[in-house]
Amino acid sequence: MLSGIHKKPGIRGKFLVISTLSIALCALSVFMVSLKEYEAIYIHSVKNNLEALIDNVADDLLFTFSEDQDSFVLKNKLLSFERYDHILYADVYDANWNLLERYSKTSAKPVHIIDNPQYQSLIAKKTPFPVTHIDDFLVSMDTIGNPDFPVGYLEVIHDFKQPIANSRHDLLIKAIPLVLLILVISLIISWYMFQRIVTPLISLSVFTQRVKHSRNYTLRHPAEGVSEVLHLSQDINAMLETINQEHQLNQEQNKKLRRQQVSMFHLANYDHLTNLPNRRYVMETLKQYLFSAQQHHTDMAIFFLNVDRFKDINDLMGHTIGDELLRHLSQLIAKNLRPNDTLARLGGDDFLAVLPDLPDAGIAKQVAQTIIDELKIPMTIGQWEIQTSVSIGIAMAKASDFDIDTLISNADIAMSHSKTVGKGSYRLFQPQMLRQKRRTLQIINRISTAIDNDEFFLVYQPKVSRQGEVIGFEALIRWNSPELGMISPSEFIPIAENGGKIGEITSWILCQAIRDLDEIQSTCPHPLVVSVNISSKDLMTPQLENVLHQTLAAHHQDITRLQFEITESSYLEKFDLANQFFSRIRALGSSIALDDFGTGYSSLSYLNRIDIDTLKIDRQFVVNSFNSDKDASVLNAILTLAQQLGLHSCCEGVETEKHARYLIGKGCDSLQGYYFSAPVPLENLAQAVQSSIQNYYQLFALPESHNHD
Ligand code: C2E
Ligand code: CA
Ligand code: CA
């Protein structure tokens, strides 16, 4: 982290290089400028001196010229230049520019100035000129005598290179130690400044990098360095304080947001009642499991679970108990699943369990059975002891082509199937269930049109008293559908009940039976009663009672001619509604028969709390009484019970003479069954009455020993 700073060229090195270079450069440029200045001054002074010297020598030479032009004297005069180290040559010309004498310094090296074009052009002019700088030399030409009347000319060549080099050398010798001293002092000063300013800055920079990488905003930089750096460090500390506060605030906000997110996720994906995943969430999970199963060629199962008779529990015990029951159930079901399985509440009393990674349906079936078995133990909720059950539909992913909609629909169909077959059971989806479901849908969809098209008709089955009189008929519905053929009421009545169509059917039956009443009555001289079957769902349709009274009125019929048959399970399912309805009906003179008695509830405690007239003993007891002692005892018990409660008893499914004889012997009040007559259409009713009576007397006409089976 911090090594990153060191990888780049350090500010310390840069600072040193730059400051050293710039100080050196400054010193050098100052030195160069002073050198130039020094040279200029030097040249100026040399020029002035040379001019004065030439003037003097020229004046001296004038005397020499005025005496006689003795070359010796002239030479001697010129030798005075020997004192001047740098005068190389001196030429003396007469007025006509003839060279009279030449002085040349003994040590002088050959001078190349003669070849210089500037020099040549000056000399060629043959006029005096002041001290002139040519190459490394100073050259001058002066008049000897009055410039207007010259007697001769003096030309001097002064070496300039050597003296300036010498002087430069001298200057360097003197200046270099000074420059070095300045350089060292400057470096020391800048090092000191560096330590004072830059080091704290570097430390600040390192510090900010540390904060940046550690994100620890509680760090503080020690207050040090020159005042600006100190302020800067204080400002950074203050800024860090603010950032730290904001950061903490931010973190708190973030935590709050995260908590909100979690709770929003929970709200969106979990069921608030059971805390189980909801439909939305389980669908997502299921999609992923299906995808993975398809990829890895494995199989998996889902359970569609529905609580049996949950609505009744809700209605009877209240929604608080209902909710508590759902919570209990969800825990119990979840407890029996494997850790990897998911249980979700789809809504209402529908649950969905996802069981991934299964080789086949075997384990799924075992799990379903365990759940069903565990539910057989009643659970205590509030002050209630509730014994409930669930119906489970199992569907396998492979068999559903790993399609989520098909899979769920299959499990749902299997669940509905278990409900129809017997509540508190499980079923594995089979393709024929789908066919059955389609047929169910066809049946439901056709019921209303079937009523409009008169596809339904009633058949009547006589009930014969123990004294041999036809006392009434049970109206039984038949459906001859052009599309589906003859459909048994055992098939379409439960479908109509579950599909909300039973009300329409029962209304139609009531109307038809009431319409048929006169014709039915015409078959017998004494008053007859026609029994009509109604289901628990009919009790929930208030218009049924209106239809009943209106139809009775329309056909001028009396309600006393009607009896209502309701199964004990239907009665108990809608206990209060049934009690109210039947009380009203009975008050008007109608009668009530409890149908299929003995097949439903084992508790008979309700019997003295309900208003009924007849117990219709289920045909299983009649048939089985000859094979099973237990059923024979039940039949006896029911007959005794009916007698003791003052109820009329009617046995169904009397198929043989033996049955009839036995039941009459046991004190059964009336008998109904194929032995007397099958249910027949209205037009065959008179005939059915005849054969019923005939068959009754047959019982006594034949000797008893011939009446076996
Ligand atoms: P249920 O009310 O117990 O009707 C008696 C059933 O037993 C009738 O079957 C009848 O034909 C049949 N049965 C009569 N005698 C004998 C016999 O000696 N042996 C045998 N094995 N069966 C006999 P069905 O008509 O097929 O009706 C079946 C069930 O369908 C009825 O049972 C009833 O629950 C329902 N159902 C029939 N008609 C109506 C109706 O008009 N309204 C309503 N709500 N349900 C009806
Ligand atoms: Ca019946
Ligand atoms: Ca029955």
Side-chain angles (χ1 to χ4, degrees), residues 474 533 565 567 594-597 616-619 652 672:
E474 179 176 3
N533 292 284
E565 289 189 13
T567 60
L594 211 53
D595 206 355
D596 300 345
F597 190 77
K616 280 195 85 177
I617 300 152
D618 193 77
R619 71 168 165 271
E652 318 178 283
Q672 181 187 347

Side-chain angles (χ1 to χ4, degrees), residues 323-339:
D323 286 354
E324 196 52 36
L325 175 71
L326 287 179
R327 268 195 288 266
H328 264 73
L329 279 174
S330 65
Q331 283 163 13
L332 190 139
I333 297 165
K335 197 186 82 190
N336 285 291
L337 296 175
R338 304 166 305 165

Side-chain angles (χ1 to χ4, degrees), residues 412-569:
D412 190 9
I413 290 170
M415 190 278 291
S416 305
H417 199 80
S418 1
K419 253 195 206 279
T420 339
V421 187
K423 293 181 165 66
S425 66
Y426 75 83
R427 285 293 177 281
L428 174 67
F429 172 80
Q430 303 294 336
Q432 108 263 353
M433 290 179 185
L434 195 62
R435 287 195 288 278
Q436 208 162 319
K437 171 148 181 159
R438 283 203 198 104
R439 182 168 163 90
T440 303
L441 285 176
Q442 280 177 328
I443 288 175
I444 286 202
N445 291 336
R446 282 185 164 88
I447 286 174
S448 301
T449 11
I451 292 174
D452 295 342
N453 297 347
D454 262 342
E455 291 171 22
F456 290 109
F457 61 97
L458 287 182
V459 288
Y460 296 94
Q461 187 175 32
K463 293 178 179 176
V464 181
S465 74
R466 51 184 284 112
Q467 290 80 21
E469 252 183 2
V470 171
I471 52 166
F473 298 92
E474 179 176 3
L476 294 158
I477 193 167
R478 296 289 175 264
W479 181 7
N480 191 5
S481 159
E483 295 95 359
L484 305 171
M486 277 302 279
I487 311 165
S488 160
S490 306
E491 184 183 4
F492 73 81
I493 292 290
I495 293 174
E497 281 178 350
N498 293 326
K501 295 282 183 185
I502 194 67
E504 282 178 59
I505 292 181
T506 307
S507 295
W508 179 87
I509 295 167
L510 274 174
C511 292
Q512 190 57 47
I514 291 167
R515 230 177 286 156
D516 292 345
L517 270 176
D518 279 342
E519 208 174 328
I520 295 168
Q521 184 55 63
S522 69
T523 58
C524 291
H526 53 272
L528 293 170
V529 171
V530 173
S531 304
V532 172
N533 292 284
I534 62 166
S535 80
S536 65
K537 301 275 182 344
D538 288 321
L539 301 173
M540 289 149 75
T541 41
Q543 59 271 36
L544 184 81
E545 224 169 318
N546 296 339
V547 172
L548 169 69
H549 295 302
Q550 280 164 14
T551 321
L552 282 169
H555 292 88
H556 310 289
Q557 296 293 354
D558 199 306
I559 197 165
T560 50
R561 314 271 298 276
L562 289 180
Q563 186 179 59
F564 293 90
E565 289 189 13
I566 183 162
T567 60
E568 55 170 334
S569 52

